[in-house]
Amino acid sequence: MTIRSNAAHSSDAQSGAEALNVLMQACGSGNRVAFEAVYRATSSRLFGICLHYSDNRAEAEEVLQEVYIMAWVKASGFDPRLGSAMTWLSTMARHKAIDRRRAHRHHDPLETIPEAASQDSLVDTLEREQQGSQLDRCLETLEEAQRRYIRVAFFEGYSYAELAERHGIALGTMKSWIRRGLLRLRVCLGL
């Protein structure tokens, strides 16, 4: 039995990555045989990524299929100077799986989300109430929707994209509303 050196293993990995890059470029010109070779070389690793971010195996399989469809469609845009084919495919798999998981997450309406209870000390509570009362006064100067979006985004951890999607508002519009509200709060708080 022979043991391969790290240099030989590294060389094999590099040539394998280069071969995968060439295959992906061939996919960009419509080569189905190259696409099949890419699938065989990457499917188990990409499935592992999809499974890691998905709720179950069936969901991961659907995500993987979407990744390969997207890879086939976008293969002509693959540029090995920007990164390896495996990195490109892995990134697509990760993003697609996360997007799928977010899309299936249940969201309660903003009006029904209860405020989180705090378990701080009395001193912390009093200090926060003093600062909070000034913040509350400043928040009251904002429009109702703007105030609600800021509260949910910053106190409940919802992203701008989640807020925009839930309320049927363009993402850029949501970001602008919140940004303008934060600027007004900053002025009001004297920051």
Side-chain angles (χ1 to χ4, degrees), residues 104-165:
H104 292 306
R105 187 175 2 165
H106 174 70
H107 295 288
D108 295 325
L110 290 178
E111 295 77 23
T112 64
I113 298 174
E115 290 190 28
S118 174
Q119 297 182 357
D120 293 333
S121 72
L122 180 61
V123 174
D124 291 336
T125 302
L126 291 174
E127 187 176 305
R128 188 173 44 255
E129 282 181 12
Q130 184 179 17
Q131 293 171 348
S133 63
Q134 184 181 5
L135 180 60
D136 286 338
R137 281 193 303 275
C138 290
L139 279 169
E140 290 301 319
T141 66
L142 303 177
E143 298 172 22
E144 180 184 341
Q146 195 175 39
R147 179 174 52 243
R148 185 177 33 193
Y149 296 145
I150 288 173
R151 284 183 188 268
V152 173
F154 290 94
F155 301 133
E156 315 248 345
Y158 285 84
S159 71
Y160 295 158
E162 289 172 327
L163 286 171
E165 183 179 322

Side-chain angles (χ1 to χ4, degrees), residues 22-91:
V22 170
L23 287 170
M24 186 55 68
Q25 288 176 309
C27 293
S29 61
N31 187 327
R32 293 176 186 265
V33 174
F35 188 71
E36 184 179 342
V38 167
Y39 177 83
R40 285 188 186 145
T42 62
S43 61
S44 62
R45 185 165 178 198
L46 295 182
F47 182 68
I49 292 169
C50 295
L51 194 57
H52 175 77
Y53 290 100
S54 298
D55 292 334
N56 59 49
R57 186 176 185 84
E59 187 81 15
E61 289 171 353
E62 287 182 30
V63 171
L64 184 65
Q65 181 178 2
E66 291 175 18
V67 169
Y68 281 110
I69 290 170
M70 188 166 50
W72 176 253
V73 170
K74 294 185 174 199
S76 62
F78 169 71
D79 184 353
R81 293 173 296 179
L82 300 176
S84 71
M86 192 66 216
T87 301
W88 188 67
L89 291 167
S90 297
T91 302

Side-chain angles (χ1 to χ4, degrees), residues 5 8 46 54 60 88 115 169 177-178 184:
S5 71
L46 295 182
S54 298
W88 188 67
E115 290 190 28
I169 298 170
W177 284 354
I178 291 176
R184 285 181 55 193

